Amino acid sequence: MKTSDFYYDLPKELIAQTPLKDRAASRLLVLDKNSGKIEHKVFRDIKEYLKPGDCLVINETRVIPARLIGERKSTGARVEILLLKRLDSDRWETLVYPGKKAKPGNVISFGGGVLEAEVEKVIEDGNRIVKFKYEGIFEELLDRLGQMPLPPYITEKLEDKNRYQTVYAKNEGSAAAPTAGLHFTNELLSEIEEMGVKIARLTLHVGLGTFRPVKVENVDEHIMHSEYYSLTQDQADIINNTRAQGGRIFAVGTTSVRTLESIADENGHLQAKSGWTNIFIYPGYKFKLVDNLITNFHLPESTLVMLVSALAGKENIMKAYSEAVKEKYRFFSFGDAMLITTSR
């Protein structure tokens, strides 16, 4: 299977640069994974495809303002840092640009010196381990000095930081938003619960590796980045009971899929678990748990296009993406949504 098998042509003007005022007003392409039938809806119509006894699984991760712009203390040269992974209270794995300004021993200053980062070492992929020095509370300084690490295809400034968070974002640690969840409002979630649909919560902290292109020709040679996940027993019980009673599992986002499929045993049963996953889901993968998926439209040749192709079939996905381009859907993080499901 070739990476090029997952290419599609996307006009640049279809890449959404800003979120809609009304989260639930996004368009919704509904794809029946068995028949290949496509319907065009609005996101709040998602209720039409849910039934009492089903379970919606959401990712409660919260994006941190992980982009810091400062200057090299010795020269004043501009340096940008992206926080990737917290190693302990003050040490982080980071991506630094330009890298030549960040050699071991170099100190980078932010906010006039209220926050400093010393580069400790260079690791694989050119990432840097840095140690922060400051007075006060790191999270408060980060909230004041940091910016949201928007994907590279978004070039317009985000006026409201909260629009790159889901309304249920809770557990800080992501460098990118679980974007399928951006379409939900608190009102819509309440209406779904009132229907008799259970909502289960998990956490997967999204890394910037989610935006990295697949650089190998053969799909099975790609090495996935790892991301931290967590599922508590009470939430696992909600999902297990749903399946035991004949309900369907609707994963909100590929992050929820990756977490559920990482934890589930061969019978699709879940137990409380946390850890790191580098699961790579592409066509040929046998799903253990997930039936249905609410997702956004993903980059050509990306691991996320491969994941949705594994669930719905590559031909169905390529046809649906072609239809979305034809109908001028909005693509990627701030774009419209897709529901992959089966006939009601």
Side-chain angles (χ1 to χ4, degrees):
M1 191 178 304
K2 305 295 184 185
T3 299
S4 57
D5 293 337
F6 299 91
Y7 176 81
Y8 68 93
D9 189 38
L10 179 69
K12 189 176 180 180
E13 62 267 21
L14 295 185
I15 300 174
Q17 293 295 315
T18 55
L20 298 181
K21 279 189 176 182
D22 179 358
R23 291 174 182 260
S26 295
R27 296 169 74 186
L28 177 69
L29 186 149
V30 182
L31 172 63
D32 187 307
K33 63 182 181 181
N34 290 340
S35 68
K37 179 185 175 184
I38 292 172
E39 295 179 274
H40 300 287
K41 297 284 187 174
V42 175
F43 190 79
R44 55 174 49 90
D45 295 333
I46 197 79
K47 294 185 295 181
E48 297 178 13
Y49 299 88
L50 295 164
K51 297 187 296 189
D54 289 340
C55 179
L56 200 66
V57 182
I58 61 177
N59 180 5
E60 288 190 316
T61 190
R62 186 171 183 85
V63 185
I64 60 173
R67 182 172 179 245
L68 286 164
I69 297 174
E71 56 187 34
R72 189 174 168 189
K73 197 172 181 180
S74 59
T75 65
R78 184 183 189 275
V79 181
E80 180 176 326
I81 284 184
L82 282 171
L83 305 180
L84 300 179
K85 185 188 299 182
R86 194 171 204 159
L87 304 177
D88 56 42
S89 59
D90 295 326
R91 293 172 69 252
W92 287 76
E93 179 181 340
T94 67
L95 181 65
V96 181
Y97 179 82
K100 63 182 180 180
K101 306 289 186 187
K103 297 177 181 178
N106 287 170
V107 176
I108 303 163
S109 175
F110 308 95
V114 297
L115 179 66
E116 291 186 345
E118 181 177 351
V119 180
E120 291 190 339
K121 64 179 178 178
V122 181
I123 59 173
E124 59 181 315
D125 293 330
N127 293 349
R128 266 70 173 167
I129 304 297
V130 306
K131 183 174 183 179
F132 285 100
K133 299 176 182 178
Y134 53 92
E135 290 186 6
I137 300 172
F138 179 77
E139 286 74 15
E140 291 181 357
L141 288 171
L142 188 61
D143 191 55
R144 177 155 63 91
L145 301 173
Q147 300 176 21
M148 283 298 183
L150 295 178
Y153 49 75
I154 294 177
T155 57
E156 293 190 22
K157 185 179 179 181
L158 182 64
E159 297 299 331
D160 179 1
K161 282 184 181 181
N162 286 325
R163 290 312 308 273
Y164 197 54
Q165 304 279 15
T166 62
V167 296
Y168 45 77
K170 180 180 177 182
N171 303 315
E172 292 193 336
S174 273
T179 55
L182 296 178
H183 303 285
F184 285 96
T185 63
N186 287 316
E187 292 76 15
L188 181 56
L189 286 169
S190 295
E191 291 169 8
I192 288 170
E193 282 191 290
E194 288 168 6
M195 290 172 55
V197 175
K198 300 290 186 183
I199 296 180
R201 294 164 168 81
L202 51 75
T203 295
L204 181 136
H205 292 320
V206 189
L208 288 176
T210 192
F211 300 118
R212 286 181 177 161
V214 178
K215 295 181 179 179
V216 295
E217 184 178 2
N218 295 316
V219 169
D220 56 5
E221 294 176 1
H222 176 67
I223 298 174
M224 283 289 286
H225 60 286
S226 62
E227 295 171 319
Y228 178 81
Y229 67 85
S230 177
L231 177 70
T232 60
Q233 190 60 50
D234 61 329
Q235 300 303 300
D237 289 342
I238 292 172
I239 299 168
N240 290 335
N241 291 338
T242 296
R243 295 183 74 241
Q245 294 165 14
R248 299 170 300 166
I249 306 301
F250 283 76
V252 178
T254 56
T255 59
S256 295
V257 174
R258 296 185 73 230
T259 304
L260 294 172
E261 292 294 319
S262 295
I263 298 174
D265 65 20
E266 292 305 313
N267 298 314
H269 188 80
L270 298 170
Q271 289 186 321
K273 193 174 182 182
S274 63
W276 295 85
T277 181
N278 62 352
I279 189 171
F280 183 17
I281 298 175
Y282 57 95
Y285 179 85
K286 302 299 182 186
F287 286 86
K288 298 176 287 186
L289 177 57
V290 175
D291 304 313
N292 308 270
L293 171 62
I294 299 166
T295 187
N296 277 22
F297 293 94
H298 305 293
L299 277 73
E301 300 183 332
S302 65
T303 60
L304 302 182
V305 165
M306 295 173 190
L307 185 154
V308 296
S309 295
L311 183 63
K314 186 173 77 68
E315 288 187 10
N316 283 341
I317 288 296
M318 290 298 124
K319 177 185 172 185
Y321 273 54
S322 177
E323 178 81 0
V325 169
K326 176 186 170 186
E327 295 296 324
K328 295 188 174 359
Y329 274 66
R330 302 167 76 244
F331 277 67
F332 306 160
S333 295
F334 288 141
D336 295 316
M338 172 188 279
L339 169 63
I340 299 172
T341 187
T342 52
S343 299
R344 287 166 284 172

